[in-house]
Each structure stands twice: as C-alpha cells, then as structure tokens.
C-alpha cells in the first residue's frame, strides 16, 4: 500500500511540473526574435478562462524593427467585442539566447531564454479586469513552426493559480 501511495504521489508531482527551456535545445528551426519579429506580421488568438472555455477572440497586426541587438515590436489588437489595444515592446538580444523586454503594461523587465525552436519568459503584466487594473503573471512560451509561423501559449496566473490562457498563431507577411 505504501509503495502504491509513493507511485501515485510521484505521478502527481511529475504531472504538475513545468517544461524546461533546455528540453528544446536540439529542436529546429532556431527561434531568434530579431529574425522572426522583423517586418510585418499578423496574429489570431483566443483567450480561455481557467476551465478552458473561450472568453474572447482577437487579431493583432504587428510591426517589428531591429537595429543590431535592439528591437521594437509594435502590436495593434482588435478583440471580437470591438475593444482595441496597443502595446509596444522594446526588446534586446543579450546573447546566448537570452532576451529582455519592456512594454508600457509590463511591470519591470521580462527576461527570456530561447533554446532551439522555443522561447520562454515569465513576467508581470497589468491587465484590465472588470474595469480595474489587475497585475498577473504570464508564463509565456513561443514555438517556431517554420520561418513564417509561430505558436504562442501563455498561462495567466494570479496568486500562483492558473486563471486563464492565451493561445495565438503569428505569421510573417
């Protein structure tokens, strides 16, 4: 009985573990933000609540420009309810697959690492919830499919609990 409990706990703990960016080191093609997020892009996505139910759909026009290791990524969101939002990221390639980024609604600096075809970063973002500002944590993963397509999956976390998720595809024009 004790062995069964240990096996069950091991399975439970491993099921709750997060992927590690190093798991993607040997995947390809290599994701380099300064290459993919350069020029015009479009995105389409969904926002899901904590149970996985669809709450919103959106489209985004993006424009990325880079000068050596520093980039600017402008985003224009249009939601299915008519809401519009803009965000401008200021990005920097720190070398060795490490990036940092800031934006008007990001608290502090987002730090990320790219390995192979994936990029992971976790940061604080201020969103509007029921008309009030709310600070949440974003657990953000990007996966490069090919030179023109990327899938982005982001968990929205508050008080250590997943409260929602954003899934989007981004395509270079």
């Amino acid at each position: 009985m004790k062995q069964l409990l240990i096996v069950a706990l091991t399975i439970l703990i491993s099921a709750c573990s997060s992927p590690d960016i190093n798991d993607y080191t040997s995947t390809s093609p290599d994701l380099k933000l300064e290459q993919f997020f350069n020029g015009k892009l479009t995105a389409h996505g969904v926002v899901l609540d904590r149970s996985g139910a669809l709450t919103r759909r959106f489209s985004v026009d993006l424009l990325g420009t880079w000068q050596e290791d520093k980039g600017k990524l402008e985003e224009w969101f249009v939601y299915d309810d008519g809401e519009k939002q803009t965000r401008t990221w200021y990005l920097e390639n720190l070398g060795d697959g490490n990036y940092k980024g800031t934006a008007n609604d990001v608290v502090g600096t987002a730090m990320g690492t790219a390995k192979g075809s994936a990029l992971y970063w976790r940061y604080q973002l201020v969103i509007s919830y029921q008309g009030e500002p709310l600070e949440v944590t974003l657990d953000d993963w990007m996966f490069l499919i090919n030179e023109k397509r990327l899938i982005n999956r982001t968990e929205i976390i508050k008080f250590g609990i997943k409260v929602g998720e954003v899934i989007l595809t981004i395509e270079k024009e």
Side-chain angles (χ1 to χ4, degrees):
M1 184 67 159
K2 186 176 180 181
Q3 290 176 334
L4 182 59
L5 180 61
I6 291 171
V7 169
L9 285 174
T10 302
I11 291 170
L12 180 62
I13 290 169
S14 65
C16 295
S17 66
S18 298
D20 186 286
I21 190 63
N22 293 310
D23 296 342
Y24 301 98
T25 300
S26 62
T27 62
S28 62
D30 285 343
L31 175 55
K32 297 183 185 320
L33 297 187
E34 61 275 23
Q35 290 175 0
F36 186 79
F37 290 104
N38 194 21
K40 292 182 180 181
L41 304 103
T42 57
H44 302 280
V46 294
V47 180
L48 309 172
D49 68 13
R50 66 181 176 195
S51 71
L54 176 70
T55 61
R56 298 179 93 180
R57 292 179 291 248
F58 62 92
S59 297
V60 189
D61 288 322
L62 302 97
L63 178 62
T65 54
W66 287 82
Q67 297 274 335
E68 297 181 16
D69 290 336
K70 295 189 181 195
K72 179 179 177 182
L73 181 63
E74 299 172 90
E75 302 174 323
W76 296 273
F77 293 80
V78 179
Y79 292 89
D80 59 350
D81 61 5
E83 180 185 351
K84 294 182 179 181
Q85 181 184 29
T86 62
R87 176 178 298 122
T88 301
W89 279 98
Y90 295 94
L91 304 167
E92 185 175 352
N93 181 341
L94 303 173
D96 294 326
N98 295 303
Y99 292 88
K100 73 176 184 176
T102 59
N104 56 321
D105 50 357
V106 171
V107 178
T109 302
M111 301 298 292
T113 302
K115 298 277 186 177
S117 60
L119 178 128
Y120 171 73
W121 49 14
R122 185 177 174 104
Y123 54 94
Q124 310 301 315
L125 184 76
V126 176
I127 63 172
S128 178
Y129 179 71
Q130 298 179 343
E132 297 292 325
L134 177 68
E135 187 175 318
V136 295
T137 299
L138 297 186
D139 199 32
D140 198 356
W141 284 92
M142 295 181 190
F143 302 97
L144 186 62
I145 303 304
N146 58 43
E147 64 184 35
K148 294 203 173 271
R149 287 182 187 82
L150 180 141
I151 295 176
N152 188 183
R153 179 178 174 262
T154 306
E155 289 187 352
I156 305 167
I157 301 163
K158 185 67 182 172
F159 303 121
I161 299 168
K162 178 182 168 183
V163 296
E165 186 172 7
V166 178
I167 300 171
L168 67 146
T169 60
I170 304 172
E171 295 191 2
K172 289 184 75 125
E173 292 186 6

